[in-house]
């Protein structure tokens, strides 16, 4: 089980408990959860720092590198994503309890699915460059950054 004691450690982390005390308390939970026979077969237990919102920008950039390839492979559509849009996606995809796990779903929901609909309905054509930005607090996809007609997608 990969998250034994994480709920208690999250509360300790929020309370500012130091790392040694946090690790000791976490190991108490590991020992209570697993049998001594199993623990004797484990060489090492690793504890990771909880993911912070400040880490999300880099994770979004990495995820979007892969995401940019998807429409390019199929329709030769390039994606240009503003920093503001990346931060918006990071905010939507971050949960203090689950870290970056919801990020992929957020990218799918707020970017890829709406982009696919725009490609399918012909709003975005083959060999076009799509720009992704934020307008009025919502993610927008548009084919020309200077157009007045902007497609709100989230």
């Amino acid at each position: 089980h990969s998250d034994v004691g994480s709920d208690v450690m999250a509360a300790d982390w929020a309370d500012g408990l130091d790392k040694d005390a946090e690790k000791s308390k976490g190991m108490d939970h590991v020992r209570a959860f697993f049998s001594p026979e199993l623990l004797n077969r484990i060489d090492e237990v690793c504890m990771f720092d909880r993911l912070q919102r400040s880490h999300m920008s880099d994770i979004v950039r990495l995820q979007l590198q892969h995401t940019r390839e998807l429409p390019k492979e199929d329709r030769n559509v390039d994606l240009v994503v503003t920093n503001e849009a990346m931060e918006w996606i990071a905010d939507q995809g971050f949960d203090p309890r689950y870290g970056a796990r919801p990020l992929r779903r957020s990218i799918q929901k707020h970017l890829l699915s709406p982009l696919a609909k725009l490609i399918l309905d012909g709003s975005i054509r083959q060999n076009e460059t799509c720009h992704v930005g934020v307008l009025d607090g919502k993610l927008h996809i548009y084919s020309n950054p200077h157009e007045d007609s902007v497609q709100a997608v989230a």
Side-chain angles (χ1 to χ4, degrees), residues 111-127:
L111 180 60
L112 292 180
S113 292
L115 179 62
K117 288 177 186 174
L118 292 170
I119 290 171
L120 290 173
D121 76 12
S123 298
I124 295 174
R125 295 174 295 281
Q126 194 164 348
N127 301 319

Side-chain angles (χ1 to χ4, degrees), residues 25-56:
K25 203 168 186 182
M27 286 306 299
D28 290 343
H29 284 278
V30 168
R31 283 189 282 280
F33 189 83
F34 295 110
S35 70
E37 295 81 17
L38 177 63
L39 287 174
N40 283 332
R41 294 173 187 250
I42 297 173
D43 292 329
E44 187 175 358
V45 175
C46 296
M47 295 202 184
F48 296 94
D49 292 334
R50 196 164 279 280
L51 188 65
Q52 302 289 315
R53 168 57 184 87
S54 60
H55 301 127
M56 290 296 291

Side-chain angles (χ1 to χ4, degrees), residues 21-108:
E22 186 177 316
K23 183 174 182 175
S24 174
K25 203 168 186 182
M27 286 306 299
D28 290 343
H29 284 278
V30 168
R31 283 189 282 280
F33 189 83
F34 295 110
S35 70
E37 295 81 17
L38 177 63
L39 287 174
N40 283 332
R41 294 173 187 250
I42 297 173
D43 292 329
E44 187 175 358
V45 175
C46 296
M47 295 202 184
F48 296 94
D49 292 334
R50 196 164 279 280
L51 188 65
Q52 302 289 315
R53 168 57 184 87
S54 60
H55 301 127
M56 290 296 291
S57 297
D58 291 333
I59 296 169
V60 168
R61 286 183 209 299
L62 289 171
Q63 288 289 318
L64 287 180
Q65 282 177 353
H66 171 70
T67 300
R68 285 185 181 113
E69 296 303 315
L70 297 175
K72 190 168 185 94
E73 290 171 6
D74 187 39
R75 302 279 179 146
N76 199 29
V77 172
D78 282 324
L79 269 180
V80 176
V81 183
T82 66
N83 287 336
E84 186 180 18
M86 284 191 224
E87 292 299 319
W88 189 94
I89 292 167
D91 287 339
Q92 299 301 309
F94 177 70
D95 183 313
R97 183 165 184 194
Y98 299 112
R101 289 182 186 133
L103 181 60
R104 194 173 300 246
R105 285 187 298 275
S106 179
I107 291 171
Q108 182 66 48

